[in-house]
Amino acid sequence: MNSPPVPLPAEHIPPDTADWRTPDAERWLAAVPARWAYPLWAVVALVVSMVWYIAESPLAPCTSAEPCGTDWSGLGMMVVLVLTPYWVWRQPRLALAGLAAGLVGFAEDGGFTESFGEPYALAYPVAAAFTTAGIVHRLTLAGRQRALALEAAGPVAQPLPAAALTFRRGRFSFALAALMLAVAGFGSWQAQQVADAYEERAAGATHLSGLVVAQEQDDDGIDILKVEADERTHRFETDFPESFPLDSQVDIVVDGDWAVLAAEPYDAFGWELLVLGAAAAALAFFANGVDGRTRSARLRRRTLPVLRVLVREGHEDGRTWVFAADDPGALRPILHFHSLLATDEDADEEEGKQGKESEQGNESDDGEADAVHLTRIRQILTGDDPPPPLREAVLYGAPYAGAEVALAARADVDEPEVLVECSVTAVKPAVPGRPARGPKSGQRKSERRSVEEVAATMKPGPGLRVWKAHGLARAVGLCLLVVQGGGIWATVDDGPSWVWLCLPVALSWMISAVATTLTWRITADRDGLWVTGAWRVRRVEWDAITAVRHHEDGIRIGTGTGHGNVDLAPTGWAWLERRLGREPYAVRTADEVRALHLDPELRPAEEAPTSRQGMPAGPPLVALSVLWGAAVLLLL
């Protein structure tokens, strides 16, 4: 039975504050973006289309007239392209500007001309259009949510509590932005040093025209160009050997033993990559800081709508989860965000003055408080701490996707002081149909469902019950199989080396994972379970089972027979299934097997024949891997 919410003293509730009730909350939740507009799909589309375009589009050849040196304008465009997917997720309005800039650069690069005949060039404009439509859809519905929140709050408006008026956001982001900007400045300075050193030496060097006589690769796979000029043969490393065909004339710069291609005079790619990463991070942190500072200032400038709600801090992720005021069981979260405590600096100073007068009298109380805090810390580290309580709270600000809010509530039943918390991340709806990552009923995320609850979802019948690898698990297995094949190819392709000694260990782990994800199976019959893993089928009697649980993308069946636990891992990808709005199949399997173990009346009445017990796929995969390795050796 759930404990009652921690009450909020009446003097901290503004007069006529409306309750945010379940019907209004459900209307608010109904105004969430459609699944197609979820940022993940837009980010994937943008990244895939950009990588495809960069990989397939022809590069402008390096020439003596236009050598391959530093390209600061192109680097600036790359910074925008790198940031745009991040902004799609975090800053949708900035993402619109990034998309516009990306399309301008795409047009200047001739992408629109190529897109009429090349799929790789058409993909980016299509992805940009899809992303833009999703952002507009999200922003439109955020406005709808704001209107619904204002309607639920009514005409009452209140200023922020005094503690929140001194709360500032963005300082840490600005500090990180300054640090990253300094790194980018250092990288650009170093790149310019490389360019200046070349220009200085090339000014006094001899410029010659040579003949390309050979192209080869060294032992490290680096392309080498042999050029004859002035009765000498010069060797040059090149990134673009296709730009210098055999018997073609190339310009070189020679100064004693130092010689470079005029078309590829120096290599500052490493410094440019540092500038790209640091500049992108600096701009991202700066934008986050400006956004946080602007939003918090806007929150302080005016009176705000207020709503009475219930809140709880997530036990696993530290998020603040908001529930309707008439949902004392915390069954359906409405929204969530991360928050920090705000303190009234003036009040703290006054309390400090008063505290000095009674410091000695409070030493024993402080010692007891420290002991309590140490006990709580120890409980948190060991995982034995109770879940945070459900609390009554007043929410300040109109909540909508991306909004900034504040709330006033007590920390717990033992703390009479009312604390003010301010959001430090944007408000996000707890989307219907997508399992929330926070608490739904005041329990830990990992707490098991009751046998009665699980049994109610199981179809009754005396026949065998079978759980086996589903579509997503098999997809994961096929991906791992492709990785395994590629790893064998890469290892064998390099020729005999010490790496071959590690191959059996790596292959045994990979084959075990592939076989499990492709063919894992649990068959429940009258007397127990038949568990099909990668290498064998194990029999586990009902009386031998001590526990069944889902653990790290696997299913663990504990036994008390001294033979160790029975583990099936991996059985899929629970994280992705949750992101797709589904209950993980392996989690449901563990719950249903546990229900059969604890309730004998649910067990089948039949005994499983051999054909229904499953067959491990590990041995056939070993043979397949050996054949694949032999085939690769024959093809080399």
Side-chain angles (χ1 to χ4, degrees):
M1 183 175 181
N2 293 323
S3 302
V6 177
L8 182 66
E11 60 269 20
H12 290 275
I13 302 175
D16 301 324
T17 299
D19 292 345
W20 200 6
R21 297 191 172 276
T22 298
D24 293 329
E26 289 177 348
R27 291 172 60 205
W28 189 90
L29 281 170
V32 297
R35 287 184 180 275
W36 67 266
Y38 191 59
L40 175 62
W41 314 128
V43 169
V44 170
L46 281 177
V47 171
V48 170
S49 63
M50 285 191 297
V51 172
W52 191 13
Y53 179 76
I54 292 172
E56 295 293 334
S57 60
L59 296 174
C62 302
T63 64
S64 301
E66 297 183 3
C68 293
T70 52
D71 181 13
W72 298 118
S73 61
L75 191 65
M77 182 56 65
M78 282 300 300
V79 169
V80 174
L81 291 178
V82 169
L83 279 175
T84 299
Y86 170 74
W87 282 339
V88 168
W89 196 283
R90 291 291 303 271
Q91 307 281 356
R93 289 180 173 83
L94 278 179
L96 292 176
L99 288 169
L103 289 174
V104 170
F106 183 77
E108 291 182 351
D109 197 39
F112 285 108
T113 303
E114 296 175 3
S115 63
F116 289 105
E118 299 292 344
Y120 70 83
L122 182 62
Y124 182 74
V126 171
F130 172 74
T131 303
T132 302
I135 290 175
V136 172
H137 178 68
R138 288 161 57 193
L139 293 177
T140 301
L141 288 180
R144 172 65 177 159
Q145 285 182 327
R146 185 177 187 277
L148 290 171
L150 290 174
E151 181 181 338
V156 178
Q158 294 288 330
L160 275 179
L165 296 176
T166 59
F167 186 81
R168 296 292 185 271
R169 282 189 57 192
R171 295 173 183 172
F172 186 63
S173 293
F174 287 142
L176 289 177
L179 177 62
M180 291 295 102
L181 189 61
V183 173
F186 174 75
S188 61
W189 176 69
Q190 289 290 340
Q192 194 60 46
Q193 288 288 99
V194 174
D196 291 343
Y198 164 75
E199 295 293 343
E200 182 179 352
R201 190 161 189 177
T206 303
H207 294 255
L208 301 174
S209 178
L211 181 69
V212 178
V213 295
Q215 290 182 353
E216 58 186 33
Q217 284 187 340
D218 62 11
D219 295 337
D220 296 326
I222 299 174
D223 291 297
I224 303 296
L225 206 66
K226 286 187 177 182
V227 178
E228 285 188 358
D230 196 22
E231 299 181 353
R232 292 180 59 186
T233 300
H234 302 274
R235 294 168 56 87
F236 303 101
E237 294 183 2
T238 177
D239 294 323
F240 307 102
E242 64 277 4
S243 300
F244 310 101
L246 290 176
D247 299 327
S248 63
Q249 292 289 327
V250 296
D251 295 326
I252 63 174
V253 182
V254 180
D255 183 15
D257 294 334
W258 176 80
V260 296
L261 291 169
E264 298 181 21
Y266 55 87
D267 182 11
F269 179 74
W271 294 116
E272 289 178 307
L273 194 62
L274 177 64
V275 172
L276 172 63
L283 190 54
F285 284 125
F286 181 75
N288 287 345
V290 170
D291 181 69
R293 182 63 59 88
T294 303
R295 288 176 181 273
S296 60
R298 190 183 304 128
L299 203 65
R300 296 191 302 269
R301 262 198 312 263
R302 60 175 75 104
T303 57
L304 303 168
V306 287
L307 288 165
R308 290 187 64 180
V309 295
L310 299 176
V311 298
R312 169 180 281 128
E313 183 179 349
H315 196 280
E316 302 291 339
D317 52 20
R319 287 181 175 86
T320 298
W321 293 81
V322 176
F323 302 84
D326 58 350
D327 184 13
L331 301 176
R332 182 68 182 93
I334 307 172
L335 55 91
H336 60 87
F337 52 86
H338 282 98
S339 62
L340 289 177
L341 288 178
T343 57
D344 188 341
E345 295 177 355
D346 295 333
D348 289 345
E349 184 177 354
E350 182 65 26
E351 290 175 3
K353 293 179 181 178
Q354 296 176 0
K356 291 181 180 178
E357 300 175 358
S358 56
E359 182 177 354
Q360 295 180 347
N362 290 334
E363 286 182 355
S364 59
D365 294 339
D366 290 342
E368 294 177 1
D370 291 340
V372 172
H373 291 158
L374 289 174
T375 301
R376 290 183 178 179
I377 292 173
R378 184 171 61 253
Q379 290 176 335
I380 291 172
L381 293 176
T382 59
D384 297 329
D385 58 315
L390 190 66
R391 303 172 288 159
E392 293 182 356
V394 173
L395 192 68
Y396 290 82
Y400 59 89
E404 192 95 0
V405 294
L407 63 89
R410 291 168 60 191
D412 55 52
V413 71
D414 298 325
E415 294 286 346
E417 182 183 3
V418 174
L419 304 175
V420 178
E421 302 175 30
C422 294
S423 62
V424 292
T425 59
V427 166
K428 292 184 179 180
V431 181
R434 187 175 292 124
R437 289 174 290 180
K440 287 188 178 181
S441 59
Q443 301 171 339
R444 289 186 181 216
K445 181 176 67 174
S446 59
E447 189 160 335
R448 300 166 180 171
R449 294 184 293 170
S450 66
V451 175
E452 294 76 12
E453 185 180 357
V454 175
T457 64
M458 300 174 65
K459 296 180 180 179
L464 300 176
R465 294 188 182 273
V466 179
W467 303 267
K468 57 185 179 180
H470 57 303
L472 183 59
R474 292 189 176 120
V476 171
L478 290 174
C479 291
L480 292 175
L481 186 62
V482 171
V483 172
Q484 174 188 323
I488 294 174
W489 182 293
T491 304
V492 174
D493 184 47
D494 290 337
S497 68
W498 65 269
V499 178
W500 284 28
L501 299 176
C502 304
L503 195 59
V505 177
L507 274 181
S508 63
W509 177 87
M510 183 64 76
I511 290 174
S512 179
V514 171
T516 303
T517 51
L518 288 176
T519 61
W520 71 267
R521 181 187 181 103
I522 298 177
T523 302
D525 65 6
R526 180 186 58 198
D527 300 320
L529 301 174
W530 294 97
V531 184
T532 304
W535 306 104
R536 59 173 176 160
V537 180
R538 291 189 60 176
R539 178 62 165 171
V540 185
E541 303 290 342
W542 290 119
D543 294 340
I545 297 175
T546 58
V548 182
R549 65 189 180 102
H550 181 264
H551 176 71
E552 295 182 355
D553 278 327
I555 298 173
R556 173 168 293 179
I557 302 173
T559 64
T561 60
H563 297 295
N565 298 326
V566 180
D567 289 315
L568 287 176
T571 53
W573 195 358
W575 178 87
L576 182 58
E577 290 183 83
R578 289 190 178 99
R579 301 300 293 182
L580 295 175
R582 305 172 184 172
E583 180 186 9
Y585 182 72
V587 174
R588 187 167 73 248
T589 298
D591 287 344
E592 293 181 355
V593 171
R594 186 186 312 113
L596 294 183
H597 168 237
L598 297 176
D599 189 352
E601 294 183 0
L602 295 175
R603 299 173 187 171
E606 300 179 8
E607 184 177 353
T610 304
S611 60
R612 300 289 299 277
Q613 294 172 9
M615 179 177 295
L621 279 177
V622 171
L624 180 63
S625 300
V626 172
L627 291 175
W628 172 245
V632 171
L633 284 173
L634 293 175
L635 291 173
L636 294 178

